[in-house]
Amino acid sequence: MRRTSTPLLAAALALAAMAAHAESAPAPGGAAVPGKPRIALVIHGGAGYVAPASLTEADRRGFHADLDRALDAGNAILTAGGSALDAVQAAVVVMEESPRFNAGKGAVFNAQGGHELDASIMEGHTRRAGAVAGVTTVRNPVVLARAVMESSAHVMLAGAGAEAFADGRPEIERVPNTWFDTEHRRRGLEKARQEEASGQASRGHGDGDGAPAYFGTVGAVALDAQGHIAAATSTGGMTNKKWGRVGDSPVIGAGTWADARCGVSGTGWGEFYIRNAVAHDICARVAYRGDSLTVAAEEVVNAIVPAHGGNGGAIALDSDGNIAMPFNTGSMFRGWIRPDGTRGTAIHEAE
Protein backbone atom coordinates (compact mmCIF):
# COMPACT_ATOMS: atom_id res chain seq x y z
CA MET A 1 0.00 0.00 0.00
CA ARG A 2 1.33 3.42 -0.92
CA ARG A 3 2.09 5.62 2.11
CA THR A 4 0.06 8.84 2.10
CA SER A 5 1.52 10.45 5.21
CA THR A 6 3.48 13.62 4.48
CA PRO A 7 4.63 16.48 6.69
CA LEU A 8 1.86 18.62 5.22
CA LEU A 9 -0.78 15.98 5.92
CA ALA A 10 0.55 15.45 9.45
CA ALA A 11 0.34 19.17 10.11
CA ALA A 12 -3.21 19.29 8.79
CA LEU A 13 -4.23 16.39 11.00
CA ALA A 14 -2.65 18.03 14.02
CA LEU A 15 -4.55 21.25 13.36
CA ALA A 16 -7.77 19.32 12.97
CA ALA A 17 -7.19 17.55 16.27
CA MET A 18 -6.55 20.88 17.98
CA ALA A 19 -9.77 22.28 16.55
CA ALA A 20 -11.77 19.26 17.67
CA HIS A 21 -10.21 19.50 21.11
CA ALA A 22 -11.25 23.15 21.37
CA GLU A 23 -14.79 22.51 20.16
CA SER A 24 -15.33 19.77 22.75
CA ALA A 25 -14.57 22.06 25.69
CA PRO A 26 -17.23 21.85 28.41
CA ALA A 27 -19.71 24.69 28.66
CA PRO A 28 -19.83 25.09 32.49
CA GLY A 29 -17.46 27.28 34.54
CA GLY A 30 -13.86 27.00 33.46
CA ALA A 31 -14.79 26.31 29.83
CA ALA A 32 -12.37 27.29 27.11
CA VAL A 33 -12.87 30.43 25.07
CA PRO A 34 -14.83 29.43 21.91
CA GLY A 35 -12.53 28.84 18.95
CA LYS A 36 -9.39 28.50 21.06
CA PRO A 37 -7.71 25.27 22.19
CA ARG A 38 -8.43 24.21 25.75
CA ILE A 39 -5.38 24.58 28.00
CA ALA A 40 -5.03 24.52 31.78
CA LEU A 41 -2.37 24.53 34.47
CA VAL A 42 -2.36 23.80 38.20
CA ILE A 43 0.62 24.01 40.59
CA HIS A 44 1.39 23.45 44.25
CA GLY A 45 4.12 24.56 46.61
CA GLY A 46 3.41 22.04 49.32
CA ALA A 47 0.72 21.05 51.81
CA GLY A 48 1.07 21.47 55.55
CA TYR A 49 -0.17 23.78 58.27
CA VAL A 50 0.70 27.45 58.22
CA ALA A 51 -1.10 29.45 60.88
CA PRO A 52 -2.38 32.60 59.17
CA ALA A 53 -0.93 34.75 61.93
CA SER A 54 2.52 33.23 61.42
CA LEU A 55 2.89 34.78 57.96
CA THR A 56 3.83 38.42 57.71
CA GLU A 57 2.26 40.41 54.91
CA ALA A 58 5.64 40.38 53.17
CA ASP A 59 5.78 36.58 53.47
CA ARG A 60 2.28 36.26 52.07
CA ARG A 61 3.04 38.53 49.12
CA GLY A 62 6.24 36.63 48.46
CA PHE A 63 4.53 33.24 48.30
CA HIS A 64 1.77 34.54 46.03
CA ALA A 65 4.34 36.25 43.79
CA ASP A 66 6.38 33.04 43.43
CA LEU A 67 3.28 31.02 42.62
CA ASP A 68 2.27 33.60 40.04
CA ARG A 69 5.73 33.47 38.46
CA ALA A 70 5.48 29.71 38.19
CA LEU A 71 2.03 29.99 36.59
CA ASP A 72 3.32 32.60 34.16
CA ALA A 73 6.26 30.40 33.13
CA GLY A 74 4.07 27.38 32.38
CA ASN A 75 1.24 29.36 30.84
CA ALA A 76 3.55 31.19 28.44
CA ILE A 77 4.47 27.83 26.93
CA LEU A 78 0.89 26.58 26.76
CA THR A 79 -0.53 29.73 25.18
CA ALA A 80 2.18 29.59 22.51
CA GLY A 81 1.07 26.07 21.59
CA GLY A 82 3.89 24.36 23.48
CA SER A 83 3.76 21.01 25.20
CA ALA A 84 2.40 20.19 28.62
CA LEU A 85 5.76 18.56 29.33
CA ASP A 86 7.64 21.81 28.73
CA ALA A 87 5.04 23.72 30.76
CA VAL A 88 5.28 21.62 33.92
CA GLN A 89 9.07 21.65 33.78
CA ALA A 90 9.12 25.44 33.44
CA ALA A 91 6.69 25.93 36.33
CA VAL A 92 8.60 23.58 38.63
CA VAL A 93 11.96 25.18 37.81
CA VAL A 94 10.63 28.54 38.99
CA MET A 95 9.66 27.02 42.33
CA GLU A 96 12.96 25.13 42.61
CA GLU A 97 14.67 28.50 42.28
CA SER A 98 12.66 30.04 45.13
CA PRO A 99 14.02 29.71 48.69
CA ARG A 100 10.45 29.64 50.00
CA PHE A 101 9.75 26.05 48.97
CA ASN A 102 11.27 22.71 49.91
CA ALA A 103 12.72 21.99 46.47
CA GLY A 104 16.00 23.13 44.94
CA LYS A 105 17.12 26.31 46.69
CA GLY A 106 15.56 26.18 50.14
CA ALA A 107 15.42 22.38 50.36
CA VAL A 108 15.36 20.99 53.90
CA PHE A 109 18.50 19.61 55.55
CA ASN A 110 19.03 15.91 56.11
CA ALA A 111 20.47 14.45 59.34
CA GLN A 112 24.03 14.97 58.08
CA GLY A 113 23.45 18.67 57.48
CA GLY A 114 23.27 18.41 53.69
CA HIS A 115 20.60 18.18 51.03
CA GLU A 116 19.29 15.22 49.03
CA LEU A 117 16.86 16.16 46.27
CA ASP A 118 14.21 14.10 44.47
CA ALA A 119 12.12 14.84 41.37
CA SER A 120 10.01 13.17 38.68
CA ILE A 121 8.21 14.03 35.48
CA MET A 122 5.70 12.11 33.33
CA GLU A 123 4.05 12.58 29.94
CA GLY A 124 0.56 11.12 29.93
CA HIS A 125 -0.20 10.15 26.35
CA THR A 126 3.11 8.30 25.90
CA ARG A 127 3.55 7.12 29.53
CA ARG A 128 7.16 8.21 29.33
CA ALA A 129 8.56 9.06 32.75
CA GLY A 130 11.83 10.03 34.41
CA ALA A 131 12.89 10.43 38.02
CA VAL A 132 15.92 11.08 40.21
CA ALA A 133 16.43 10.50 43.93
CA GLY A 134 19.05 11.64 46.39
CA VAL A 135 20.92 14.01 44.07
CA THR A 136 23.15 16.57 45.77
CA THR A 137 24.68 18.88 43.15
CA VAL A 138 21.92 19.33 40.54
CA ARG A 139 20.47 22.82 40.68
CA ASN A 140 17.16 21.83 39.08
CA PRO A 141 16.38 18.15 39.70
CA VAL A 142 13.28 18.23 37.49
CA VAL A 143 15.51 19.00 34.49
CA LEU A 144 17.63 15.94 35.29
CA ALA A 145 14.49 13.83 35.70
CA ARG A 146 13.45 14.81 32.19
CA ALA A 147 16.92 13.96 30.86
CA VAL A 148 16.57 10.50 32.40
CA MET A 149 13.23 10.13 30.63
CA GLU A 150 14.48 11.29 27.25
CA SER A 151 18.12 10.18 27.18
CA SER A 152 18.30 6.89 29.07
CA ALA A 153 16.65 3.49 28.96
CA HIS A 154 15.56 3.88 32.58
CA VAL A 155 12.87 5.61 34.63
CA MET A 156 14.65 6.32 37.93
CA LEU A 157 18.29 6.97 38.78
CA ALA A 158 19.50 7.53 42.33
CA GLY A 159 22.42 8.97 44.26
CA ALA A 160 25.88 8.70 42.76
CA GLY A 161 24.54 7.05 39.63
CA ALA A 162 22.19 9.94 38.93
CA GLU A 163 25.05 12.38 39.51
CA ALA A 164 27.24 10.42 37.08
CA PHE A 165 24.48 10.52 34.49
CA ALA A 166 24.33 14.31 34.94
CA ASP A 167 28.09 14.65 34.31
CA GLY A 168 28.83 16.09 30.91
CA ARG A 169 25.23 17.04 30.16
CA PRO A 170 25.30 20.77 29.30
CA GLU A 171 21.62 21.30 30.12
CA ILE A 172 22.16 20.17 33.72
CA GLU A 173 23.53 22.98 35.88
CA ARG A 174 25.64 21.85 38.84
CA VAL A 175 26.11 23.68 42.13
CA PRO A 176 27.83 22.92 45.44
CA ASN A 177 25.51 21.33 47.98
CA THR A 178 25.73 24.44 50.15
CA TRP A 179 23.98 26.40 47.39
CA PHE A 180 20.68 24.93 48.61
CA ASP A 181 21.19 26.25 52.17
CA THR A 182 18.82 28.75 53.74
CA GLU A 183 18.83 30.01 57.32
CA HIS A 184 15.17 29.10 57.78
CA ARG A 185 15.85 25.45 56.92
CA ARG A 186 18.95 25.37 59.15
CA ARG A 187 16.87 26.49 62.10
CA GLY A 188 14.42 23.74 61.24
CA LEU A 189 17.19 21.14 61.36
CA GLU A 190 18.49 22.41 64.69
CA LYS A 191 15.02 22.27 66.19
CA ALA A 192 14.42 18.77 64.82
CA ARG A 193 17.72 17.58 66.30
CA GLN A 194 16.81 19.04 69.69
CA GLU A 195 13.42 17.35 69.64
CA GLU A 196 14.98 14.05 68.63
CA ALA A 197 17.55 14.24 71.42
CA SER A 198 14.82 14.91 73.97
CA GLY A 199 12.64 12.10 72.68
CA GLN A 200 9.97 14.52 71.52
CA ALA A 201 10.46 14.31 67.78
CA SER A 202 7.14 14.20 65.92
CA ARG A 203 6.35 11.82 63.08
CA GLY A 204 5.34 14.66 60.83
CA HIS A 205 7.62 16.44 58.43
CA GLY A 206 7.29 20.12 58.88
CA ASP A 207 10.41 22.17 59.36
CA GLY A 208 10.59 21.45 63.06
CA ASP A 209 11.03 25.13 63.94
CA GLY A 210 7.56 25.69 65.35
CA ALA A 211 6.18 28.34 63.02
CA PRO A 212 5.54 28.11 60.23
CA ALA A 213 5.80 24.39 59.48
CA TYR A 214 4.96 23.35 55.93
CA PHE A 215 6.02 20.61 53.62
CA GLY A 216 6.99 22.76 50.64
CA THR A 217 7.25 20.05 47.98
CA VAL A 218 6.43 21.58 44.57
CA GLY A 219 4.57 20.24 41.57
CA ALA A 220 2.67 21.07 38.39
CA VAL A 221 0.14 19.44 36.07
CA ALA A 222 -0.69 20.86 32.63
CA LEU A 223 -3.08 20.29 29.72
CA ASP A 224 -1.80 21.54 26.36
CA ALA A 225 -3.53 22.55 23.12
CA GLN A 226 -3.00 19.08 21.68
CA GLY A 227 -4.99 17.58 24.56
CA HIS A 228 -1.92 16.08 26.21
CA ILE A 229 -1.32 16.03 29.97
CA ALA A 230 1.98 16.05 31.88
CA ALA A 231 2.87 16.17 35.57
CA ALA A 232 6.03 16.89 37.56
CA THR A 233 7.05 16.98 41.23
CA SER A 234 10.23 18.08 43.05
CA THR A 235 11.25 18.05 46.72
CA GLY A 236 14.01 18.18 49.31
CA GLY A 237 12.16 15.55 51.33
CA MET A 238 11.87 15.43 55.10
CA THR A 239 13.81 17.54 57.61
CA ASN A 240 16.47 15.46 59.44
CA LYS A 241 15.91 12.45 57.16
CA LYS A 242 18.34 9.54 57.51
CA TRP A 243 19.70 6.52 55.65
CA GLY A 244 19.06 7.92 52.18
CA ARG A 245 15.32 8.11 52.79
CA VAL A 246 13.29 8.65 49.60
CA GLY A 247 9.66 9.77 49.69
CA ASP A 248 6.89 9.66 47.13
CA SER A 249 7.90 12.58 44.91
CA PRO A 250 10.19 10.62 42.55
CA VAL A 251 8.03 7.48 42.64
CA ILE A 252 5.88 7.22 39.53
CA GLY A 253 2.33 6.37 40.60
CA ALA A 254 2.83 7.61 44.17
CA GLY A 255 3.80 11.28 43.98
CA THR A 256 3.48 11.80 40.21
CA TRP A 257 1.26 10.30 37.53
CA ALA A 258 -0.05 11.26 34.10
CA ASP A 259 -2.04 9.34 31.53
CA ALA A 260 -4.18 10.30 28.53
CA ARG A 261 -7.04 11.67 30.61
CA CYS A 262 -5.63 12.59 34.04
CA GLY A 263 -2.54 13.95 35.79
CA VAL A 264 -1.59 14.29 39.47
CA SER A 265 1.20 15.72 41.62
CA GLY A 266 1.11 14.95 45.33
CA THR A 267 2.47 16.65 48.43
CA GLY A 268 2.41 15.29 51.95
CA TRP A 269 3.59 12.41 54.08
CA GLY A 270 5.42 10.42 51.41
CA GLU A 271 5.40 7.03 53.06
CA PHE A 272 1.60 6.96 52.95
CA TYR A 273 1.48 8.22 49.38
CA ILE A 274 3.77 5.36 48.37
CA ARG A 275 1.76 2.74 50.30
CA ASN A 276 -1.47 3.89 48.69
CA ALA A 277 -0.16 4.67 45.18
CA VAL A 278 -1.98 7.97 45.58
CA ALA A 279 -1.30 9.69 42.26
CA HIS A 280 -2.15 6.62 40.20
CA ASP A 281 -5.17 5.73 42.33
CA ILE A 282 -6.78 9.10 41.64
CA CYS A 283 -6.45 8.67 37.90
CA ALA A 284 -7.44 4.99 38.03
CA ARG A 285 -10.72 5.94 39.66
CA VAL A 286 -11.35 8.35 36.79
CA ALA A 287 -10.39 5.78 34.14
CA TYR A 288 -11.90 2.57 35.51
CA ARG A 289 -14.72 3.62 37.84
CA GLY A 290 -15.89 6.70 35.97
CA ASP A 291 -15.46 9.02 38.95
CA SER A 292 -15.24 12.71 38.30
CA LEU A 293 -11.80 14.17 38.94
CA THR A 294 -13.03 15.98 42.04
CA VAL A 295 -14.66 12.90 43.57
CA ALA A 296 -11.61 10.74 42.88
CA ALA A 297 -9.09 13.23 44.26
CA GLU A 298 -11.14 14.07 47.34
CA GLU A 299 -11.71 10.43 48.27
CA VAL A 300 -8.08 9.36 47.89
CA VAL A 301 -6.51 12.38 49.61
CA ASN A 302 -9.12 13.02 52.30
CA ALA A 303 -10.35 9.49 53.05
CA ILE A 304 -7.88 6.81 51.94
CA VAL A 305 -4.65 8.51 53.07
CA PRO A 306 -5.95 9.62 56.51
CA ALA A 307 -7.45 6.18 57.11
CA HIS A 308 -3.93 4.79 57.03
CA GLY A 309 -2.45 7.51 59.24
CA GLY A 310 -1.12 9.96 56.67
CA ASN A 311 -1.99 13.45 55.51
CA GLY A 312 -1.21 15.88 52.71
CA GLY A 313 -2.70 17.16 49.50
CA ALA A 314 -2.61 16.86 45.72
CA ILE A 315 -3.30 18.75 42.53
CA ALA A 316 -5.10 16.99 39.69
CA LEU A 317 -6.18 17.90 36.16
CA ASP A 318 -8.19 16.00 33.57
CA SER A 319 -8.45 16.14 29.79
CA ASP A 320 -11.54 18.37 30.00
CA GLY A 321 -9.55 20.99 31.92
CA ASN A 322 -11.20 20.25 35.26
CA ILE A 323 -8.96 20.96 38.27
CA ALA A 324 -9.02 19.46 41.78
CA MET A 325 -6.85 20.62 44.71
CA PRO A 326 -7.80 18.60 47.84
CA PHE A 327 -5.78 18.75 51.07
CA ASN A 328 -6.35 17.96 54.73
CA THR A 329 -3.50 19.85 56.40
CA GLY A 330 -5.08 23.26 56.85
CA SER A 331 -2.97 24.87 54.14
CA MET A 332 -1.64 24.12 50.67
CA PHE A 333 0.27 26.62 48.55
CA ARG A 334 -1.43 26.38 45.16
CA GLY A 335 -2.21 28.18 41.94
CA TRP A 336 -4.30 27.53 38.84
CA ILE A 337 -5.22 28.75 35.38
CA ARG A 338 -8.47 27.29 34.05
CA PRO A 339 -9.40 26.80 30.38
CA ASP A 340 -11.39 30.05 30.39
CA GLY A 341 -8.27 31.95 31.46
CA THR A 342 -9.35 32.62 35.06
CA ARG A 343 -6.52 32.21 37.50
CA GLY A 344 -5.67 32.46 41.16
CA THR A 345 -3.30 31.55 43.97
CA ALA A 346 -4.13 30.53 47.52
CA ILE A 347 -2.62 29.24 50.76
CA HIS A 348 -5.34 28.50 53.32
CA GLU A 349 -8.59 26.53 53.18
CA ALA A 350 -10.87 29.54 53.04
CA GLU A 351 -9.15 31.08 50.02
Side-chain angles (χ1 to χ4, degrees):
M1 180 182 293
R2 184 172 62 89
R3 295 182 62 188
T4 58
S5 104
T6 66
L8 184 58
L9 177 59
L13 290 172
L15 288 172
M18 288 173 63
H21 179 58
E23 289 169 2
S24 64
V33 176
K36 291 187 177 181
R38 182 173 59 245
I39 59 175
L41 176 65
V42 59
I43 63 173
H44 71 77
Y49 178 65
V50 182
S54 72
L55 289 177
T56 67
E57 187 55 35
D59 288 336
R60 190 179 301 277
R61 287 196 303 269
F63 277 115
H64 284 288
D66 282 349
L67 292 168
D68 271 321
R69 278 193 287 270
L71 286 173
D72 288 342
N75 192 52
I77 291 168
L78 295 175
T79 56
S83 72
L85 195 65
D86 286 340
V88 295
Q89 177 177 313
V92 168
V93 164
V94 169
M95 292 184 283
E96 287 178 336
E97 291 290 307
S98 168
R100 294 185 173 88
F101 303 111
N102 176 19
K105 180 70 174 178
V108 298
F109 286 87
N110 63 17
Q112 290 72 45
H115 309 273
E116 296 168 303
L117 312 176
D118 309 327
S120 61
I121 193 166
M122 187 169 187
E123 183 177 63
H125 67 292
T126 63
R127 298 289 180 93
R128 296 190 305 162
V132 294
V135 297
T136 59
T137 67
V138 176
R139 178 167 177 158
N140 298 112
V142 72
V143 180
L144 182 58
R146 182 166 178 181
V148 172
M149 181 186 78
E150 294 184 329
S151 302
S152 83
H154 310 299
V155 171
M156 182 187 292
L157 301 180
E163 300 276 342
F165 178 75
D167 290 341
R169 305 194 70 84
E171 75 274 23
I172 308 301
E173 185 173 354
R174 311 296 281 278
V175 293
N177 195 250
T178 55
W179 185 85
F180 303 107
D181 291 2
T182 60
E183 187 56 34
H184 168 65
R185 299 301 190 187
R186 190 174 297 281
R187 291 196 304 270
L189 175 63
E190 292 169 357
K191 180 66 172 179
R193 285 172 169 173
Q194 292 170 5
E195 292 176 344
E196 184 178 54
S198 66
Q200 298 176 348
S202 71
R203 295 187 305 155
H205 39 180
D207 291 330
D209 62 350
Y214 52 85
F215 300 141
T217 294
V218 306
V221 188
L223 171 69
D224 65 30
Q226 290 73 42
H228 298 153
I229 294 172
T233 311
S234 181
T235 191
M238 181 186 294
T239 300
N240 201 33
K241 62 184 179 181
K242 300 178 176 66
W243 309 301
R245 179 263 185 187
V246 176
D248 64 302
S249 295
V251 179
I252 298 302
T256 301
W257 179 261
D259 57 36
R261 65 177 75 182
C262 176
V264 175
S265 173
T267 168
W269 198 331
E271 280 69 16
F272 293 91
Y273 278 52
I274 294 170
R275 293 170 190 172
N276 291 283
V278 164
H280 179 265
D281 192 19
I282 292 171
C283 290
R285 289 164 183 262
V286 173
Y288 305 140
R289 204 163 73 171
D291 287 359
S292 71
L293 185 75
T294 297
V295 167
E298 290 282 349
E299 184 170 352
V300 174
V301 171
N302 291 331
I304 302 299
V305 172
H308 291 86
N311 58 10
I315 55 172
L317 174 65
D318 69 17
S319 55
D320 288 326
N322 296 308
I323 290 172
M325 299 174 283
F327 58 97
N328 50 50
T329 52
S331 311
M332 184 169 76
F333 298 90
R334 57 203 188 275
W336 61 90
I337 300 178
R338 301 187 187 277
D340 65 358
T342 58
R343 62 184 285 167
T345 60
I347 299 173
H348 297 104
E349 286 181 322
E351 298 178 46

